[in-house]
Amino acid sequence: MSSSRCRLHLAPRALVCKNAVIEGDVQIGNGTVVHVGASIIAKNGPIVIGANNIICERATIINNHSAPLMIGDGNLLETDSRIEGRGIGHRNIVQVRSKVIGSSTLGNNCVVSTTCATEPTENVPDNTVLYGNPQSRRTRVDADTDHTAVHIKHLEYIHEMLPRYNHIIEAE
């Protein structure tokens, strides 16, 4: 973990690898996992991350705004994804090399598919799927119960295995 200007607040069951880069005022919620090499940089304002999120390796969350960047609960931020917008809701999937950019927001139950990005100032409504090249969008019609069940199993596995092979920051 980078120590420059870091005020890290960890909930008791948060699991954060020591070699994640964390800078500025960052709060990480209960059960959230921050993998090796992830970056969470509160540049101009704080970052508040909710419960039970999975932030994969090389994922980046950066707050370039003075207002807090809020990340809801139950999100999956996959490898090389980037969140720099104003915030995201609950139960979203931001896939490999995809981006939430500018001052955009992401609602609940959204999917930003591989290499896709939000528009710089858009508010993506709940249940939206951004996909394809050229990029298209549709409304998600499936219930998120399958995703939620898999997400919970994924979290349980990570909480068991990650501490075995990585140095973890202990909550105080």
Side-chain angles (χ1 to χ4, degrees):
M1 178 183 83
S2 173
S3 60
S4 66
R5 305 177 298 118
C6 185
R7 289 190 321 202
L8 177 61
H9 308 279
L10 287 180
R13 290 204 64 241
L15 195 62
V16 179
C17 290
K18 280 191 177 178
N19 60 352
V21 175
I22 300 177
E23 297 178 3
D25 188 3
V26 176
Q27 180 178 332
I28 299 176
N30 197 40
T32 290
V33 174
V34 180
H35 276 275
V36 172
S39 296
I40 303 172
I41 303 168
K43 199 177 213 179
N44 295 325
I47 297 174
V48 179
I49 300 171
N52 299 320
N53 293 289
I54 300 172
I55 302 168
C56 293
E57 46 283 310
R58 296 189 319 270
T60 300
I61 301 170
I62 186 166
N63 188 359
N64 292 314
H65 310 283
S66 58
L69 190 162
M70 307 294 287
I71 306 288
D73 300 333
N75 294 293
L76 172 59
L77 309 181
E78 293 184 354
T79 303
D80 285 326
S81 62
R82 185 173 181 91
I83 306 295
E84 61 181 48
R86 296 239 181 228
I88 67 175
H90 307 292
R91 297 173 308 282
N92 295 294
I93 302 171
V94 183
Q95 293 184 343
V96 174
R97 294 190 341 240
S98 59
K99 299 175 183 176
V100 177
I101 62 172
S103 61
S104 58
T105 61
L106 197 60
N108 300 312
N109 303 314
C110 295
V111 177
V112 183
S113 297
T114 301
T115 71
C116 291
T118 61
E119 295 295 325
T121 59
E122 92 176 297
N123 295 319
V124 178
D126 293 351
N127 302 308
T128 299
V129 178
L130 283 68
Y131 67 96
N133 186 10
Q135 187 169 301
S136 300
R137 55 186 65 212
R138 68 175 177 81
T139 300
R140 186 175 178 177
V141 293
D142 61 327
D144 72 334
T145 53
D146 290 339
H147 163 70
T148 300
V150 170
H151 188 81
I152 290 168
K153 287 289 189 191
H154 191 181
L155 272 171
E156 289 171 357
Y157 180 77
I158 292 169
H159 274 272
E160 178 185 336
M161 298 304 289
L162 200 63
R164 291 184 186 182
Y165 303 103
N166 294 277
H167 298 286
I168 303 298
I169 298 171
E170 300 292 331
E172 295 182 19

